[in-house]
Amino acid sequence: MALAVCLVSMPWQSLESPSLPLGLLRSAAVRAGREAPMTYYGNLRWAEFLMERTDGAIGVADYHEIAENGLFHGLGDWAFAGVLHDDPEFGVAALEAYATERGLDIGLVREMREHADAFVDLVVEELLALEADLVGFSTTFMQNVPSLSVARRLRARAPEIAVLFGGGNCDGPMGAALQRNFPYVDYVVRGEGEKAFPALLAALDDGSDLSEVPGLCWWAHDGSQAVNPQPRPLAPGELLVPDFDDWFARLDESAVQSFVEPKLVLEAARGCWWGEKHHCTFCGLNGTLMEFRSKRPETIVDEIGSLIERHQVLDVIMVDNIIDNRYFRTVLPMLEERGWDLRIHYEVKSNLRPAEIAALRRVGAVHVQPGIESLVSPVLKIMDKGVTGVQNVRTLRDCESQGLTVSWNWLYGFPHERIQDYERVIAQLPALVHLQPPAGAARILLERFSPYFERPELGFPGRTTAAAYRHVYALPEERLQDMVYLFDTEPAGITDEQVKALHDQLNAWSDAYHDSSLSCTECDGALVVEDRRTGWPERTHRIEAPEFVAAYRELEAGRSAPALRERLAELGHHVAPDRLAEWLGRLADDGLVFEEHGRWITLATSIEPIKVAV
C-alpha cells in the first residue's frame, strides 16, 4: 500500500500566497502516478491561533511584521526556540541582550512566544488526526525552528511516522548538518525535489535502495548518516505547474481570509543568468542551483492563464531571481495580447531600458525588485553588479514615470569601498526625493554560497555563525557551521561613523518622497520642468533653446559631457564646451541632474505620477 503523505508549511511562510514548494511536490507526486499528498498550512493555523488566543490583539499585520522583518535577527525562529529546546527560558536573556545592543523592539515576538508551546501541541494533534505515514516539512529562512519543534513532538507521540525535511534551508551542506543535529529527522532532500520526492516515496513503498534517491540524506541500518550526491539542476521542460487547489480551499475557510488579498506565486525560471557569468560578491541566493533555466514562453503564458482562471486571482508574484531577457520580446507581448487585467510582481536587473519598463507596465506589472543595492559606481563594481549609479538612478526615474513600485535596499560594508566615493553621491541625494527611496541601508552580512563566503581572500577571512543563532539554537559553533546561512565577520569598508551621513540623508529622502514631484513636459517645442520637491524652491524651469532641448533629451539616457557634445553635433547643434559646461552646472545647481564620474542624467519624470506605496 502506498504511503499516506502530508506536506507541511510552517510559519513564517506568507499568508497571502500558497507555498510554491508544496504546490510543486503535489504536482510531482501526481506526475509519478501517486495521489496528491495532503497538506497542512501551519502558517495559516498560527495566524488563526494567535487571533483566537488574543481575541484579535495579535493579528495578521503582526504576523507579517515578524515574517517580513524578523529574518536577520532570527525573531521568527526564536518565537519557537523554547518549544524546540523544551525550555521556556531558552534564548530569552540572549535575545534581550542582543536587542538592547541593536535598539531592537522585541515586544511583539515576546507576546507571540507565549503561545508557541500550545500551538505546537495543537499542530501535532491535527497532524496525527490525518493519519499520515510520512510528514514532510518544507523549510526556508525562518521555518527551521517551527518545523523542528513540531517534528520533535510528533516523533515523541508517534515514532512510527517518518519525518522528512527539504527546501532552501537544506541546500548543500546545510541539509546534512540539520539532520546530524536533529536525528529525529529521518530524511532530508537537498536540492530540487521534483524527482527526489517521488523517488523517495517509491523506495519507501517497496523497500528498495535509498542510495538511488538523488540528494537524499538518510540513516543507514548501522546508524550512520548516508548522504547521496545532489543531481544536476532540472531541465526547463521538467519544471512543473504547481497544484494550489488545497491552499485556496483552506484559505476559503480561514479567519485570515478577510485580512489578505490572495496572490498566485509562480516561477518562469530558476537560477540566475547574471550570476552564472558574474556572481554578485555578496549574494548567496540560488545556492547550489545557479544554472539559469527558463520555461518556453508559450508554456509560462499558458500556465499563468490556467491558474488565474482556475483560482480567479489576478495578482501574480513571479519568484524568479531574475527575468529572462528574452521574455521582453516573447512573454510580455503575449501577455499584453491576452488582455488579462493582471497585477504582476517581478525581480529584474537594474539596467532596464525605458521600453522594457514600459512593457512591464503594459502587461500589469505593479511591483519590481531590481536589485539596485547602491548608487555609488565604484561600490557597484566591487559587487560585480554590472551597472553604474547613473543606470540605477535612471531605473528609479523611469519606474516612477510608469507608476511601478520599486523595492530596494542600500548595502554597504564592502571590502575596499571608500568614503570619498560616497560623499559626492550623498551630497546629491536631496535631488532624488521625488524618486522611490530604499527601504533602508544595512551593512552586508556574509551569506553562505556567496563569493565572499567561498573565497575568503576577497575580504572576509574570519567568520563565525551570525549572532542571531545564539538565541535560536543550543548548539556549539562547530555544529552550527555547516547548518546555517548567515555569518558574522569583521566589518569592512566604510565605518559606522562614516555611514551616519548616508543614513541621515536616506531618512530625509523617505520622509520627503510622498510630498515631492519633479516632472518634465513638452509645450510648443520647449521643455517645462515643474519642481515640487520637498527642500527645493517651488519653481518652473523652461528650456527653450533648441540645442538645449536636444541636450536635455539626450541626457535622459545618461551621457558624459564629451559624448553629449558629439551627439549634439550629429544633430546639427554645435555647442562650445564652456557653454555646455555652464548649462550643465546650472542644471546641477537646480538639482535637475545627477552626475557621477563625469556622466550626467536628468532626474525629472516624464509625467507627474501618482505616488506609489513604499
Side-chain angles (χ1 to χ4, degrees):
M1 180 179 292
L3 290 172
V5 179
C6 180
L7 299 173
V8 179
S9 180
M10 290 295 287
W12 297 85
Q13 154 78 26
S14 170
L15 300 176
E16 295 186 330
S17 58
S19 164
L20 182 60
L22 266 57
L24 291 172
L25 292 181
R26 280 171 58 87
S27 293
V30 171
R31 183 179 63 175
R34 308 181 68 92
E35 288 189 11
M38 298 177 284
T39 56
Y40 184 89
Y41 277 91
N43 60 325
L44 291 175
R45 197 69 183 94
W46 176 232
E48 295 164 350
F49 188 78
L50 290 173
M51 292 167 65
E52 295 164 4
R53 294 266 294 203
T54 66
D55 196 24
I58 300 178
V60 168
D62 299 308
Y63 179 101
H64 286 309
E65 171 64 26
I66 301 302
E68 294 172 8
N69 301 313
L71 172 62
F72 295 110
H73 303 297
L75 299 186
D77 280 319
W78 180 84
F80 290 87
V83 185
L84 176 62
H85 301 298
D86 206 19
D87 177 5
E89 296 302 313
F90 175 81
V92 173
L95 179 60
E96 288 175 345
Y98 176 97
T100 298
E101 181 180 343
R102 291 162 177 78
L104 187 66
D105 183 358
I106 58 171
L108 175 59
V109 74
R110 187 194 294 273
E111 291 179 45
M112 289 180 170
R113 179 166 161 140
E114 294 176 5
H115 305 286
D117 188 85
F119 172 71
V120 169
D121 275 344
L122 174 68
V123 174
V124 170
E125 290 292 342
E126 292 181 346
L127 287 175
L128 289 173
L130 297 177
E131 298 184 345
D133 302 304
L134 181 144
V135 175
F137 296 86
S138 174
T139 177
T140 302
F141 296 134
M142 295 187 297
Q143 290 180 296
N144 255 12
V145 175
S147 300
L148 288 166
S149 299
V150 171
R152 187 178 74 89
R153 286 196 180 171
L154 189 64
R155 172 50 46 86
R157 289 284 303 278
E160 71 279 7
I161 296 177
V163 172
L164 166 68
F165 270 58
N169 287 344
C170 298
D171 194 17
M174 296 188 294
L178 184 147
Q179 187 184 39
R180 288 195 303 271
N181 287 326
F182 302 98
Y184 47 83
V185 177
D186 299 295
Y187 308 105
V188 172
V189 169
R190 303 178 306 140
E192 295 166 314
E194 286 92 335
K195 287 186 175 180
F197 178 61
L200 171 62
L201 299 185
L204 294 176
D205 279 342
D206 58 27
S208 58
D209 188 2
L210 292 176
S211 65
E212 299 300 316
V213 179
L216 184 68
C217 302
W218 46 289
W219 299 115
H221 293 302
D222 63 1
S224 63
Q225 185 187 44
V227 179
N228 298 345
Q230 287 189 216
R232 281 190 53 78
L234 296 173
E238 297 175 301
L239 304 181
L240 301 175
V241 180
D243 176 356
F244 294 143
D245 288 358
D246 57 321
W247 183 82
F248 279 96
R250 176 68 178 81
L251 183 65
D252 282 344
E253 63 185 29
S254 174
V256 167
Q257 182 189 34
S258 59
F259 298 96
V260 302
E261 291 187 38
K263 297 174 175 61
L264 290 168
V265 55
L266 302 175
E267 59 177 357
R270 291 184 186 173
C272 179
W273 55 261
W274 177 256
E276 282 187 289
K277 300 178 291 185
H278 300 276
H279 192 171
C280 297
T281 53
F282 65 93
C283 180
L285 296 177
N286 295 297
T288 63
L289 300 168
M290 181 66 75
E291 181 181 325
F292 186 71
R293 300 145 283 154
S294 62
K295 295 179 180 178
R296 294 174 61 249
E298 297 81 6
T299 299
I300 188 58
V301 172
D302 288 346
E303 185 175 317
I304 291 172
S306 66
L307 288 172
I308 64 173
E309 181 177 356
R310 184 175 186 85
H311 299 297
Q312 296 296 291
V313 169
L314 293 172
D315 269 302
V316 179
I317 300 174
M318 303 303 299
V319 300
D320 312 0
N321 287 142
I322 191 168
I323 191 172
D324 186 333
N325 276 337
R326 295 173 298 176
Y327 286 178
F328 288 105
R329 304 185 302 274
T330 56
V331 170
L332 298 190
M334 293 168 68
L335 288 175
E336 185 178 1
E337 185 179 321
R338 298 298 192 279
W340 298 323
D341 188 18
L342 298 175
R343 290 192 295 178
I344 299 176
H345 310 247
Y346 227 128
E347 290 194 32
V348 296
K349 202 169 186 300
S350 63
N351 60 349
L352 290 177
R353 294 187 291 270
E356 293 169 335
I357 294 173
L360 283 166
R361 194 67 186 95
R362 286 197 303 273
V363 301
V366 295
H367 176 266
V368 292
Q369 186 174 335
I372 289 174
E373 264 86 59
S374 180
L375 304 181
V376 182
S377 292
V379 177
L380 290 164
K381 186 174 182 180
I382 293 170
M383 296 183 199
D384 209 358
K385 291 291 290 186
V387 295
T388 65
V390 165
Q391 287 175 303
N392 283 344
V393 169
R394 185 181 72 177
T395 295
L396 287 173
R397 183 201 65 196
D398 293 344
C399 286
E400 187 75 12
S401 291
Q402 292 291 337
L404 279 174
T405 298
V406 180
S407 291
W408 67 291
N409 290 284
W410 194 303
L411 301 180
Y412 59 89
F414 293 87
H416 314 302
E417 69 180 5
R418 306 178 307 165
I419 187 59
Q420 50 264 47
D421 293 324
Y422 280 80
E423 289 170 342
R424 173 65 179 155
V425 172
I426 291 173
Q428 296 181 84
L429 293 184
L432 307 183
V433 294
H434 62 297
L435 306 179
Q436 291 170 67
R443 186 174 295 279
I444 61 168
L445 293 172
L446 187 60
E447 299 181 5
R448 184 183 297 280
F449 305 119
S450 70
Y452 280 146
F453 182 83
E454 301 293 346
R455 299 175 57 196
E457 71 273 14
L458 293 180
F460 296 106
R463 69 278 307 270
T464 57
T465 55
Y469 296 120
R470 305 291 177 273
H471 51 257
V472 170
Y473 297 110
L475 293 168
E477 177 73 10
E478 62 272 15
R479 290 174 61 184
L480 274 175
Q481 281 279 346
D482 285 341
M483 194 182 84
V484 300
Y485 181 72
L486 297 172
F487 293 80
D488 288 336
T489 186
E490 286 296 317
I494 59 177
T495 67
D496 290 340
E497 180 61 30
Q498 289 172 331
V499 83
K500 184 178 183 303
L502 174 64
H503 281 289
D504 290 344
Q505 286 293 349
L506 294 183
N507 289 336
W509 183 356
S510 183
D511 291 341
Y513 168 67
H514 281 286
D515 296 320
S516 298
S517 67
L518 179 70
S519 59
C520 178
T521 56
E522 188 166 349
C523 180
D524 297 328
L527 297 178
V528 179
V529 180
E530 299 279 354
D531 190 348
R532 303 294 184 269
R533 291 172 295 177
T534 298
W536 294 83
E538 183 175 320
R539 65 175 84 173
T540 298
H541 305 270
R542 289 185 64 87
I543 302 173
E544 297 180 323
E547 64 271 28
F548 289 130
V549 170
Y552 187 95
R553 289 303 191 196
E554 291 298 319
L555 286 181
E556 288 176 341
R559 288 187 182 274
S560 67
L564 177 59
R565 282 190 67 244
E566 183 177 334
R567 176 60 180 153
L568 289 174
E570 292 174 0
L571 296 172
H573 302 294
H574 298 280
V575 183
D578 56 347
R579 186 166 176 242
L580 183 61
E582 180 186 0
W583 180 72
L584 289 171
R586 288 200 306 271
L587 292 183
D589 290 342
D590 292 333
L592 302 183
V593 289
F594 176 89
E595 181 273 330
E596 191 192 26
H597 298 292
R599 193 170 178 85
W600 304 74
I601 190 166
T602 59
L603 295 178
T605 60
S606 59
I607 59 171
E608 184 174 341
I610 297 172
K611 284 299 180 180
V612 298
V614 295

